[in-house]
Structures are given as C-alpha cells and as structure tokens.
Amino acid sequence: KPAILSASIQDALKYKKGLFQSTQLRLTSLEKRMQNIISLSFNLVNQQDSRIMQQDSSSMKTIAAMTLIFLPGTLIASLFSSNFFNFSVGSDGQSEVRLSSYFWVFWIIAVPLTVLTVVLWRLYQFSTREKLKNRPVRWRNFL
C-alpha cells in the first residue's frame, strides 16, 4: 500500500504542479494583455490630443495669415492719419508733404515697445515649455 499511496501522491503533486504552471502562464498572459491595454489607451489619448492640436494649429495659422494681411495696411493708415504728416497744396499749386519735427517720437515709442513685446512673448514661450517638460505624467488620465 505505501507504493500505491506514494504513486497517488506523486500524481497529485504532478497535477498541482501543472495547475501552478498553467496559472503562471495565465498570469503572464494577463500581464501582457494589461500592458497592451494601457499602451492602447495611451495611444488613443495621444491621437485625440493630436487632433485637437492640429485644429488649434490651423486656427493659429489663420490668425497669423489675417494679421500678415491687415497689419501693413493698418500701420500705413495709422501713420498717415496722425499729425506726423501734413499734406497741403503750396502757393505755386504743387502738393506738398511735410514731415513733423516730432516724427522721432514715433520711433522712440514704437521700437522699445516692439522689443518689449517680443521679449515678453519669448519669456512666456520659454516658461510654458519648461512647465510642459517638468509636468508629471498622470496615468489615471490615460485609463
């Protein structure tokens, strides 16, 4: 009887070993599936973000194009409507354009203001880029 008992115990242990190996394979398979699901959800979120960014990008291109079209005309209109230029007809019937002696004030104000605007824009752009680099990844947003 001890040999039969020993054989049945060995069979039971082999069976249990097979169950453990099967469970291990299932766990490995489930882990890979979970990694695939996480990767898929991450890619889907990135795809959606990419679409939104493309829409924003095209909107910004439209705004930039409109600015490029209308800005030169606006500058010319504002300059000629100011008191820096005096359009008049001279005593001999010829039209004259006289430049104000204060025309230099325009450049004294416009150039520093333009430089200040560009510097502030670059600082804002740099600050935004640094915030995006240092932002922690939040996995709960991807699942």
Side-chain angles (χ1 to χ4, degrees), residues 8 26 33 35 43 57 70 72 95-96 102 115 124-125:
S8 72
R26 284 185 187 156
R33 287 177 69 189
Q35 288 173 351
N43 289 334
S57 177
F70 289 105
S95 58
E96 295 178 345
Y102 295 109
V115 170
Y124 173 76
Q125 190 179 29

Side-chain angles (χ1 to χ4, degrees), residues 66-79:
M66 290 290 112
T67 302
L68 288 173
I69 291 169
F70 289 105
L71 189 61
T74 304
L75 173 70
I76 299 302
S78 65
L79 269 178

Side-chain angles (χ1 to χ4, degrees), residues 23-75:
T23 302
Q24 181 65 33
L25 288 173
R26 284 185 187 156
L27 287 174
T28 303
S29 172
L30 286 174
E31 183 180 6
K32 288 181 181 179
R33 287 177 69 189
M34 285 303 295
Q35 288 173 351
N36 287 340
I37 289 171
I38 289 171
S39 177
L40 173 66
S41 61
F42 178 76
N43 289 334
L44 288 174
V45 168
N46 276 343
Q47 186 179 26
Q48 184 64 27
D49 286 349
S50 177
R51 286 186 187 135
I52 292 170
M53 294 298 274
Q54 284 177 344
Q55 290 171 352
D56 287 348
S57 177
S58 81
S59 296
M60 293 305 293
K61 285 179 185 176
T62 303
I63 291 170
M66 290 290 112
T67 302
L68 288 173
I69 291 169
F70 289 105
L71 189 61
T74 304
L75 173 70

Side-chain angles (χ1 to χ4, degrees), residues 47-139:
Q47 186 179 26
Q48 184 64 27
D49 286 349
S50 177
R51 286 186 187 135
I52 292 170
M53 294 298 274
Q54 284 177 344
Q55 290 171 352
D56 287 348
S57 177
S58 81
S59 296
M60 293 305 293
K61 285 179 185 176
T62 303
I63 291 170
M66 290 290 112
T67 302
L68 288 173
I69 291 169
F70 289 105
L71 189 61
T74 304
L75 173 70
I76 299 302
S78 65
L79 269 178
F80 283 126
S81 68
S82 68
N83 291 330
F84 291 129
F85 295 98
N86 184 10
F87 299 101
S88 62
V89 177
S91 59
D92 59 354
Q94 295 286 331
S95 58
E96 295 178 345
V97 178
R98 293 185 188 222
L99 186 61
S100 171
S101 61
Y102 295 109
F103 189 63
W104 60 272
V105 174
F106 170 77
W107 296 110
I108 294 295
I109 293 172
V111 171
L113 191 60
T114 302
V115 170
L116 178 69
T117 302
V118 170
V119 167
L120 289 176
W121 171 71
R122 291 296 289 172
L123 287 173
Y124 173 76
Q125 190 179 29
F126 178 75
S127 150
T128 304
R129 190 175 298 144
E130 287 299 315
K131 285 179 186 177
L132 288 176
K133 281 183 189 176
N134 297 330
R135 186 175 65 179
V137 177
R138 298 182 186 199
W139 289 104

